[in-house]
Amino acid sequence: MPAFNETSAVLHSTALYTSAAQALAAMLPTATSLSAVLHTGPRQDWVASAAGAVLCATFVGEQSADVVLHVAERELGGISERRTARVGTEDLLRPALEAATGVLGIGVLSLESGENAQGTLSAADTVGFMLRTQSGEDAGFFALRLRETAPVSGPAPSLEEPEDMASRLGRISNVEMALTVQIGRTRLSVRDVLNLEPGAVIELDRSAGAPADVLLNGRLIAQGEVVVMDQDYGVRITKILDMDSAGA
C-alpha cells in the first residue's frame, strides 16, 4: 500500500484534511483527548493491527468523500463496557464522523461495512492521520479520501430548448428520494439512552402545535402540519423553503 507523501495525488491542500481530522478528534467519546497527526509512513498494517471495529463511511454532498475510522477499544474506556444492541460502536462514533465530514459542507453521511476499508486506505489520494494520546501513544487512525466531481468537457453550456429540458426531467422523474417528517429533536447522554424503558417520555425541542420539518434526503425543504388520514399520519405543507433558507 502506498504511503502518503508530498507527491501523492491528493486533490486539495492538506488544510482541508487537517480541519476534518481535528473536528473528528474533538468529538471522539474517549476518556482522554486525542490529537490527529498527519501520517507519513506506510499504511498497510493499519487494518490488520486494528483491535476492534473499523468503521467506513461515505459522504455525498457538495464535496463527496470516503472515510475510515478506528479507535482502540481501550480508549473507549467504560463506554465500551456499556455498549448493547441499543447503543453500538457506530452510534458512539457517528457524531465524530459527522463533525469530520461537516467540514466538507452539506451532505448525507452513510456508514458502510468495515470490509471496504482496504480499498480506501490503498488509494494513492487518501490522506491519513494517526490518533494519538497526550503521551504520544497510538490510539487509532482516521483516513479521508475526497472524490472530485468529474469535470465537464466540451463547450460551455448554453440555454436549453424547452424540449431538451423536458427530456432530461423525464429521465429523472421516476427516481425515488427519501422524504422524512421531523416533529422535533433532542440530545441524550449514552447513560440516558441505556436507561430508557417502555413508558418513558422524551421531551423534544419543539412546542406543541409548532410546524414539523420536511426533509428531502436529510435536507430541510418545507414545513407543515401533522394530520391524520384514514388512521395514518400525514403532513399538510404550509411553507416551502427556498434553497438558501433550507441550507441555513
Side-chain angles (χ1 to χ4, degrees), residues 174-220:
N174 292 327
V175 176
E176 295 186 354
M177 305 181 75
L179 192 70
T180 307
V181 176
Q182 181 175 277
I183 62 173
R185 304 177 66 180
T186 191
R187 296 181 67 87
L188 293 177
S189 66
V190 173
R191 178 186 300 104
D192 291 337
V193 172
L194 294 176
N195 290 335
L196 287 177
E197 299 289 346
V201 177
I202 300 175
E203 183 177 357
L204 303 178
D205 62 353
R206 194 163 303 185
S207 60
D213 292 335
V214 180
L215 299 96
L216 181 66
N217 279 356
R219 180 161 187 165
L220 181 63

Side-chain angles (χ1 to χ4, degrees), residues 51-221:
V54 175
L55 299 183
C56 293
T58 58
F59 182 78
V60 179
E62 298 177 359
Q63 171 66 68
S64 298
D66 297 314
V67 179
V68 179
L69 172 63
H70 168 67
V71 180
E73 288 286 336
R74 67 178 187 278
E75 296 302 324
L76 295 176
I79 296 177
S80 63
E81 299 172 1
R82 299 171 57 186
R83 272 173 282 171
T84 65
R86 185 183 299 175
V87 178
T89 302
E90 296 84 355
D91 301 306
L92 295 175
L93 298 181
R94 185 181 181 96
L97 289 171
E98 291 176 343
T101 53
V103 173
L104 306 180
I106 297 174
V108 178
L109 177 70
S110 301
L111 296 183
E112 297 186 343
S113 169
E115 297 175 355
N116 299 327
Q118 199 66 48
T120 299
L121 294 178
S122 63
D125 53 352
T126 295
V127 178
F129 294 82
M130 295 304 301
L131 301 175
R132 292 200 175 122
T133 65
Q134 295 177 343
S135 60
E137 296 182 40
D138 290 341
F141 58 82
F142 168 68
L144 176 65
R145 180 191 185 195
L146 299 181
R147 289 188 274 120
E148 282 284 358
T149 302
V152 178
S153 59
S158 59
L159 294 178
E160 300 182 62
E161 296 296 331
E163 294 79 9
D164 294 333
M165 181 63 72
S167 64
R168 291 196 175 191
L169 290 175
R171 289 197 295 269
I172 66 172
S173 60
N174 292 327
V175 176
E176 295 186 354
M177 305 181 75
L179 192 70
T180 307
V181 176
Q182 181 175 277
I183 62 173
R185 304 177 66 180
T186 191
R187 296 181 67 87
L188 293 177
S189 66
V190 173
R191 178 186 300 104
D192 291 337
V193 172
L194 294 176
N195 290 335
L196 287 177
E197 299 289 346
V201 177
I202 300 175
E203 183 177 357
L204 303 178
D205 62 353
R206 194 163 303 185
S207 60
D213 292 335
V214 180
L215 299 96
L216 181 66
N217 279 356
R219 180 161 187 165
L220 181 63
I221 63 167

